[in-house]
Amino acid sequence: MQHVKLARDRRKRKSRIKAAIFFMAIISIFTGTFLSLKDSVEDKNIDGDTALAQAEQFEKLTPDAGTSDRLTQHLLEQAKVLAEDNNATSYDDDLSGQDDEVDEIKIDPDDFDISSLPPEAQSALSDLLDVADQAKRISDQFSHTIVRGDELKDVLELSGLEPMTAEGLIASYPELKKLKAGQQMYWILDKNGELEYLNWLVSEKEERIYERLESGKFERQILEKKSVWKKEVLKGKITSSFRASLLKLGLAQRQVSQLTNALQWQFSMKKLMKDDNFAILIFREYLGDKLTGQGNVEAIHIISQGKSYYAIQAENGRYYSRQGETLGKGFARYPLQRQARISSQFNPRRRHPVTGHVRPHKGVDFGVPTGTPVISPADGVVEKVAYQKGGAGRYIMIRHGREYQTVYMHLSKPLVKAGQSVKRGERIALSGNTGISTGAHLHYEFHINGRPVNPLTVKLPGTSNEMRDSERRQFLTKAKYVERQLKM
């Protein structure tokens, strides 16, 4: 009888343990559900994966029918709705609305530094720069030096033009398929953002111009140049700003942009001090004794705070340090730790499903559950962290160098602040479903010169920067020549 009594006691103890585990699970689930519902009221940001896991765990712990089954079913249904949406997207991502919350710093992509001037001069120069910037934006002018591997679509995409623009031009003028490193292009967009004028400097003796007619087709002019090209060394000192000092030496805006783009990854232009010295090796075009504005900067040497900085152009059109190290920073294709399913593609002509009006989709939507880590695809500085209830929800803007910006929308939680420097691969936020959207997702935009481009097809900066062995040998020989020419 004794062993029967002991067995009965053991069964009672097991029953009590099971009951305790059951009630602890009930309390845990209800606590988690309450906290999740609280977050949902604020930002619609319940983590679907977590809710699904809780429900499945609860189901395993409660095999009996009744109230527990109904609660389990409710949690499972809720989790499935919140976890992933195959078609999650949004139609209010243009950031034109007013921010309800904002943390922002203003970053000048050209890195003007006028702090050394008197207050009156700073004010006057700031006004002048604002006017110049507005004129530049209105005119929509762009320039680019061809690097190895560039296609016409890559060049025009720098101004936000779609591949079909390049395809149309190439169909009429197949020679545009044969771009060579070192050639230069200059183009203008009209007020509607369409290509109006393209200037292609084929060689020192030939220039080709493509102008759009009223019919929409392009007419070509081939100019046989009778000008003279001269290689020169220009030396100067930083005065009010680096850009102003370059313009003072007679460099055209195109060459100034070429230089600032080449140096943008080495250091911030704002770190240059008044009276810092620089020397430039440039190849410029003269017509008679006058500069035409055409030219190519082959190298620059800057001495700032006792340190020397070089940017030297190789045969492939890219710039390197004097040791042959690449100056460009690489970009990752995706702002996530894994490649995710795309719920809505980049589409500048997308139509709203209700109104039928064109509502451009300026980025790519990744269908990921709320709480998915979002990473920075490259080194940069956070420009803005904001919340827009009637549109983008919680969003972040990051600047990468002079030309590039990335934008992340509908976030559940930002992990960075405005003014913070971030590294490639660093977590910057958790994805969500804030603002106006049809489901949990990450909306990601990639901007070049302030214009959105397709993040999945754009030619990313810093890719294919390595020199071939023969190029490297030629480059190192040139670097020694440049050092002698630009010695200060």
Side-chain angles (χ1 to χ4, degrees):
M1 292 296 293
Q2 183 67 26
H3 70 275
V4 172
K5 184 178 180 181
L6 290 173
R8 188 164 50 244
D9 290 343
R10 282 198 297 270
R11 284 197 297 271
K12 286 182 180 180
R13 282 197 297 272
K14 286 182 180 179
S15 297
R16 291 193 192 101
I17 292 171
K18 286 181 180 179
I21 292 173
F22 173 78
F23 284 111
M24 287 176 64
I26 288 287
I27 293 169
S28 176
I29 293 297
F30 272 109
T31 302
T33 302
F34 173 76
L35 292 175
S36 296
L37 289 173
K38 181 182 176 184
D39 289 341
S40 177
V41 170
E42 293 177 353
D43 281 319
K44 302 180 297 181
N45 288 327
I46 300 175
D47 187 330
D49 283 351
T50 302
L52 185 61
Q54 287 177 341
E56 290 174 344
Q57 180 186 23
F58 180 69
E59 186 175 39
K60 291 176 182 176
L61 290 170
T62 56
D64 298 328
T67 304
S68 61
D69 286 342
R70 289 194 294 273
L71 180 58
T72 299
Q73 185 63 30
H74 171 72
L75 287 173
L76 283 169
E77 290 175 357
Q78 182 189 56
K80 287 172 184 176
V81 170
L82 294 170
E84 288 193 22
D85 184 340
N86 291 335
N87 300 305
T89 187
S90 50
Y91 293 89
D92 298 274
D93 297 327
D94 59 3
L95 299 181
S96 59
Q98 185 172 354
D99 294 321
D100 298 290
E101 302 170 17
V102 63
D103 176 20
E104 183 178 17
I105 62 167
K106 297 294 184 183
I107 300 177
D108 187 342
D110 290 327
D111 275 331
F112 287 111
D113 184 9
I114 57 176
S115 58
S116 58
L117 299 177
E120 298 81 5
Q122 290 184 31
S123 177
L125 185 55
S126 293
D127 292 342
L128 181 62
L129 294 175
D130 287 341
V131 171
D133 183 63
Q134 287 298 320
K136 181 176 182 290
R137 290 180 184 274
I138 291 170
S139 59
D140 281 330
Q141 301 177 27
F142 301 86
S143 60
H144 177 68
T145 300
I146 306 300
V147 300
R148 188 183 67 219
D150 272 352
E151 296 180 15
L152 184 61
K153 67 178 181 63
D154 302 321
V155 176
L156 297 183
E157 195 169 36
L158 295 172
S159 58
L161 291 172
E162 296 179 68
M164 64 179 66
T165 303
E167 291 166 5
L169 269 170
I170 289 172
S172 300
Y173 304 103
E175 70 267 20
L176 286 165
K177 292 177 68 174
K178 301 175 182 178
L179 304 184
K180 295 181 179 179
Q183 293 177 335
Q184 294 187 341
M185 281 192 164
Y186 167 76
W187 66 102
I188 301 174
L189 307 186
D190 64 15
K191 62 181 180 181
N192 298 316
E194 300 295 332
L195 183 64
E196 186 173 51
Y197 172 93
L198 174 68
N199 180 300
W200 179 21
L201 185 61
V202 179
S203 68
E204 299 168 26
K205 298 297 182 182
E206 183 181 335
E207 188 174 346
R208 300 192 179 196
I209 296 173
Y210 305 83
E211 287 189 272
R212 195 181 70 216
L213 306 175
E214 289 185 6
S215 64
K217 295 183 178 180
F218 281 84
E219 181 179 63
R220 179 188 62 188
Q221 291 179 288
I222 300 178
L223 305 180
E224 297 296 331
K225 303 168 76 69
K226 298 181 180 179
S227 53
V228 175
W229 286 75
K230 298 179 182 179
K231 187 170 288 191
E232 302 171 297
V233 173
L234 307 177
K235 295 184 179 181
K237 284 188 176 183
I238 305 294
T239 53
S240 58
S241 73
F242 183 49
R243 177 176 287 267
S245 303
L246 294 173
L247 293 172
K248 188 176 179 180
L249 284 178
L251 269 70
Q253 289 285 357
R254 301 182 210 179
Q255 287 109 51
V256 174
S257 296
Q258 188 182 6
L259 268 176
T260 51
N261 288 343
L263 293 168
Q264 64 181 314
W265 301 111
Q266 275 198 302
F267 57 85
S268 170
M269 301 298 173
K270 285 183 178 178
K271 292 182 180 179
L272 294 176
M273 307 289 288
K274 186 178 180 182
D275 293 330
D276 280 349
N277 294 294
F278 65 90
I280 298 168
L281 182 63
I282 187 171
F283 198 43
R284 296 197 286 184
E285 182 186 43
Y286 285 84
L287 192 58
D289 59 351
K290 293 184 178 180
L291 289 166
T292 65
Q294 297 277 24
N296 180 53
V297 178
E298 296 190 4
I300 183 170
H301 175 205
I302 296 176
I303 298 178
S304 179
Q305 301 180 52
K307 293 184 179 180
S308 283
Y309 300 91
Y310 284 87
I312 304 171
Q313 191 180 48
E315 287 297 314
N316 62 19
R318 295 184 174 88
Y319 288 88
Y320 299 83
S321 71
R322 56 180 166 172
Q323 290 82 23
E325 299 164 339
T326 180
L327 301 182
K329 297 289 185 180
F331 274 69
R333 178 65 70 183
Y334 300 95
L336 299 164
Q337 293 173 322
R338 60 179 176 84
Q339 186 172 337
R341 176 184 45 77
I342 296 169
S343 57
S344 186
Q345 296 276 3
F346 177 87
N347 184 0
R349 293 179 174 80
R350 185 179 68 166
R351 292 186 178 276
H352 194 286
V354 178
T355 66
H357 296 154
V358 174
R359 297 295 292 272
H361 195 228
K362 300 176 181 178
V364 170
D365 290 340
F366 296 99
V368 291
T370 295
T372 300
V374 180
I375 62 171
S376 177
D379 295 359
V381 177
V382 179
E383 278 189 297
K384 189 175 185 180
V385 179
Y387 176 65
Q388 198 177 96
K389 182 178 180 181
R394 300 195 183 281
Y395 70 94
I396 293 173
M397 298 178 68
I398 299 179
R399 177 168 289 281
H400 311 273
R402 180 176 182 269
E403 300 168 285
Y404 307 101
Q405 285 175 300
T406 51
V407 187
Y408 316 78
M409 301 185 193
H410 308 293
L411 306 170
S412 63
K413 182 181 180 181
L415 304 177
V416 292
K417 296 181 179 180
Q420 180 178 333
S421 294
V422 294
K423 295 292 185 182
R424 173 173 169 166
E426 182 176 342
R427 289 189 179 193
I428 58 171
L430 300 178
S431 68
N433 187 22
T434 55
I436 299 178
S437 71
T438 66
H441 71 286
L442 169 67
H443 176 89
Y444 173 57
E445 295 185 7
F446 193 101
H447 295 189
I448 303 179
N449 294 315
R451 296 170 179 271
V453 299
N454 189 339
L456 302 184
T457 61
V458 65
K459 186 175 182 181
L460 294 173
T463 55
S464 304
N465 274 357
E466 295 299 320
M467 286 186 280
R468 302 186 183 111
D469 290 341
S470 58
E471 286 178 331
R472 179 172 292 277
R473 287 192 293 269
Q474 290 178 343
F475 176 84
L476 294 176
T477 300
K478 179 178 181 178
K480 292 179 181 178
Y481 165 77
V482 166
E483 282 190 70
R484 293 194 299 270
Q485 293 294 311
L486 302 186
K487 189 175 180 179
M488 289 184 286

